[in-house]
Amino acid sequence: MSQLFSEETHRNLLSRIPHCTGREVSDWLRTVDEGPALFRFEEKVSWLRGEHNLAYGHAKAIVHEYDLRRAARKL
């Protein structure tokens, strides 16, 4: 079972991603969008971790942000 992060923790993780990875969050969101067609949240997190060597928290924050933005586009 995955951990649930507060909104504040999520925002803090997102703000540290560029410093820790050398890439902007928008680049990571594009990577998820252009990546394999995985449906489950944890599959996407595992793919980012394995393919791009990301820490679990960063991968989870990226996928969560991707899902939030995708849902907002559908409204």
Side-chain angles (χ1 to χ4, degrees):
M1 183 173 180
S2 63
Q3 299 172 337
L4 297 176
F5 296 139
S6 70
E7 184 63 27
E8 181 181 1
T9 301
H10 175 68
R11 293 286 157 217
N12 286 337
L13 281 167
L14 284 181
S15 71
R16 289 195 309 261
I17 286 172
H19 174 72
C20 294
T21 67
R23 291 176 61 185
E24 293 298 320
V25 171
S26 59
D27 292 338
W28 286 114
L29 297 175
R30 195 169 22 263
T31 297
V32 173
D33 194 47
E34 295 170 354
L38 302 170
F39 294 105
R40 291 183 43 233
F41 183 89
E42 287 297 329
E43 289 176 324
K44 293 174 191 174
V45 171
S46 293
W47 173 75
L48 277 176
R49 292 184 73 208
E51 189 72 23
H52 298 282
N53 200 32
L54 289 176
Y56 177 74
H58 291 150
K60 185 173 177 178
I62 290 166
V63 174
H64 182 62
E65 186 68 18
Y66 176 81
D67 288 347
L68 288 174
R69 292 185 186 193
R70 188 181 67 188
R73 285 192 308 254
K74 290 184 178 181
L75 294 178

